[in-house]
Structure formats: C-alpha cells, structure tokens
Amino acid sequence: MDIVRHLRYFTVVAEELHFGNAAIRLGMAQPPLSQRIRRLEEELGVRLFDRSSRQVRLTESGKLLLAEAREIVAKVDRLRDLAGRGENVALRVGVPPDLGSAVIAALIAGFRERSPEVRLAPAETWSADQVVALLDGTLDVGVVRHPVTAPGLSFGPVLVQRPGVVLAEHDPLAALSSVHLADLAGRSLVLFPREPGLHEETLAECRRHGFVPEEVHEAQTLGLVLAGTAVALGPEVSLPGLRWRPLLGSPLAWRVSTAWRGQAGEAAVAFGAVALRVLKENAGMTDDGAAPARRLRTRPASGFLA
C-alpha cells in the first residue's frame, strides 16, 4: 500500500467530512475513495471516521493522526521538489486520451519545437488519475477536463470544447445538418470512461435539454455507436460508418486547462503556452466564454477507437 497517497486521501476527507465532496476535490469517484480509507484503517488497526447516514466525524484516533498525516504529506512533497531541482529530469506530462492522437501529436511536436532542450515524457491518462499523480508529484503538468477542485493544484487559462453527437451513418438523425439534444431521447449514450465530474455535468445538461439516456455506457471505442445501439458525445470525428453532427445551440461546454502542483517551473509554463495554442488550433477549443468557432480549421481525430 502507498501509505503517503492514502494519508493524502485521509487529510482531504478529514477536511471535508464528506466523502462525496472529498472525492470531487481529489478528482475521483466516491466508492474507490471509501475503499482506500477503509484500507488505511485496516493497515493502522484503528477507526478514523465515525460514519452515519447524516454525517462523517473524525474519531479521537483520526484527530490524533490528522496533524501527523499533514506533516508527512508536506515533507514528502518538499523532498520531491528538492530532488527534482537537483536533477535534469524530464517534464512529465499527462494528457487525456480522448483528445485524440492528432492533437496529442501536435502537443508533443509543438513543445519540442519551443523547448528542444527539455525531454518530454508524455502519458495518456484520464483527468481523475492525473489529479492524483500531480498531487503525488509523479506528474509535473497535466491537461485536465473540469470540474477539478483538488487542493494544492493551480490551473492555466480555461478553454471550452463544444462536443457534438456521433451517430451510425444509417441513423435517421445523420441526415440532418445539426441535432437537438431532445432528438436523442430514449437512446443509449456512450461516454468516455474515468471522468466522473464531467459525466455528472454532461448528464445534467442532457436532462435539462430533454435527453435522458436509456443506458449510459463507459467505453473507449465507438463499437456500440457503429452497431446503431447507442450514440456518443464528443469532438468531431470522421470514421467509416459514422457521422458527427453539431448540437443545436451548443448546449454542452467541456472545459479544459493545464494543471500543476505548487509553483509552475519554466518548462511547465512553456508547455502550458503550447497547449493553449494547440488546443485552439487543432481541437477547435475557444477561450472560456467566447463563442464557439463556426468551423474547425482541421478535423481532429476522436479519442474513441473505431
């Protein structure tokens, strides 16, 4: 068991005294967080929280552990910072896989052109996992999908991506130039996995506009859409057997930004500048609050695999 990581989870739950709120701050789902707290309690042989349907309270053992846990986590963070300054290490970057291969390749190429002296170590990982890795110090900078409210993280400028709907080419809605969310009523929906906060926001907006999916599937492929048994929401995609259509009124706004822990280093700042440019030019994203682009300059590949 990674004791430091589990102590970090414990401190956030102790501050929130609410597992749901703590899970949101950590960028993860609530059940895994509850499991990890139980694992920590088993490892230490004490009960850290009194849990009831109405509230969560620290036990006396939990109160005694909290100050020590905070100190341990802070010391480990300082050690990692000092070690990083003393070595010529690579810039460890996280990017969500659903950005698509073309966008990720453009991010890497853009950074290499701007900072050829820095070795880039990219990893395709979902936002929830990036948050944990950023807090643990195993990532230096990430490209994350919001909502993210993890303590200790800072964020670059927020961009907005306006997803459309991906349909099977034989779907009657594919004959339309654009689709209203309410037109999808009664259909099943495919969403990217491992983005719990984004899922909740997306499903809430779908319901608000008259689309309540019969089922919600988490998947990294568009097989269900290709078979005509579901639709998907995401960036523009051009694949055989599929059609992408914009949503009338652009009701969905997926927010994206860079993120880092503590004070951003020079290399992280450089990567953030490259990410801002590439996500606008290659992924059709706009500044938060700006009107969506009428048409993308390029057609980015979907993060789903056909």
Side-chain angles (χ1 to χ4, degrees):
M1 183 179 75
D2 185 339
I3 189 68
V4 176
R5 177 176 294 185
H6 282 68
L7 288 175
R8 194 185 299 277
Y9 296 145
F10 163 71
T11 60
V12 175
V13 176
E15 289 167 2
E16 292 290 336
L17 292 179
H18 188 287
F19 277 84
N21 293 344
I24 292 172
R25 279 182 57 181
L26 290 165
M28 62 191 298
Q30 183 176 335
L33 176 60
S34 298
Q35 293 167 9
R36 288 165 186 174
I37 294 299
R38 289 194 191 95
R39 177 78 188 280
L40 179 62
E41 289 176 323
E42 292 170 1
E43 183 74 16
L44 298 177
V46 296
R47 190 162 46 86
L48 300 173
F49 295 99
D50 283 326
R51 305 168 177 85
S52 72
S53 59
R54 293 185 177 180
Q55 62 181 350
V56 175
R57 294 184 301 176
L58 279 167
T59 63
E60 288 304 316
S61 296
K63 292 176 182 177
L64 290 173
L65 177 64
L66 182 56
E68 296 293 333
R70 283 173 170 156
E71 186 175 348
I72 290 169
V73 170
K75 284 183 176 179
V76 170
D77 288 344
R78 286 196 294 271
L79 284 172
R80 285 179 173 144
D81 287 342
L82 289 171
R85 292 172 195 162
E87 298 178 13
N88 184 22
V89 296
L91 182 70
R92 301 161 300 177
V93 173
V95 291
D98 60 290
L99 283 181
S101 55
V103 175
I104 293 173
L107 280 171
I108 295 171
F111 182 78
R112 285 175 175 168
E113 181 179 353
R114 174 166 178 153
S115 304
E117 73 284 358
V118 179
R119 184 168 63 87
L120 193 67
E124 293 187 24
T125 180
W126 299 102
S127 301
D129 297 323
Q130 285 191 52
V131 168
V132 175
L134 288 166
L135 292 172
D136 282 349
T138 52
L139 273 184
D140 299 309
V141 63
V143 177
V144 298
R145 291 196 178 278
H146 292 266
V148 175
T149 55
L153 292 188
S154 300
F155 302 98
V158 176
L159 298 178
V160 170
Q161 185 177 42
R162 303 286 179 175
V165 59
V166 185
L167 307 154
E169 64 179 356
H170 56 74
D171 191 305
L173 294 178
L176 303 177
S177 59
S178 57
V179 176
H180 195 285
L181 271 175
D183 296 333
L184 305 175
R187 297 165 184 253
S188 296
L189 176 65
V190 173
L191 289 175
F192 298 118
R194 306 295 294 278
E195 301 287 7
L198 179 62
H199 285 192
E200 292 172 6
E201 284 192 351
T202 299
L203 291 174
E205 282 301 302
C206 285
R207 288 191 295 268
R208 198 165 73 86
H209 288 84
F211 174 34
V212 180
E214 278 195 352
E215 291 184 85
V216 178
H217 305 279
E218 291 192 358
Q220 296 188 58
T221 74
L222 288 168
L224 292 176
V225 179
L226 199 59
T229 61
V231 299
L233 298 172
E236 187 172 0
V237 56
S238 179
L239 291 170
L242 299 174
R243 296 292 182 269
W244 182 90
R245 294 292 181 263
L247 291 170
L248 279 169
S250 300
L252 301 179
W254 289 355
R255 293 165 293 134
V256 178
S257 78
T258 51
W260 59 90
R261 178 174 60 85
Q263 185 174 358
E266 185 178 338
V269 171
F271 178 82
V274 171
L276 197 64
R277 174 179 59 79
V278 169
L279 293 176
K280 287 182 178 181
E281 294 179 356
N282 295 68
M285 298 188 192
T286 60
D287 294 320
D288 194 6
R294 293 182 62 84
R295 184 163 183 82
L296 304 183
R297 223 182 303 176
T298 59
R299 179 171 289 186
S302 168
F304 283 116
L305 303 175

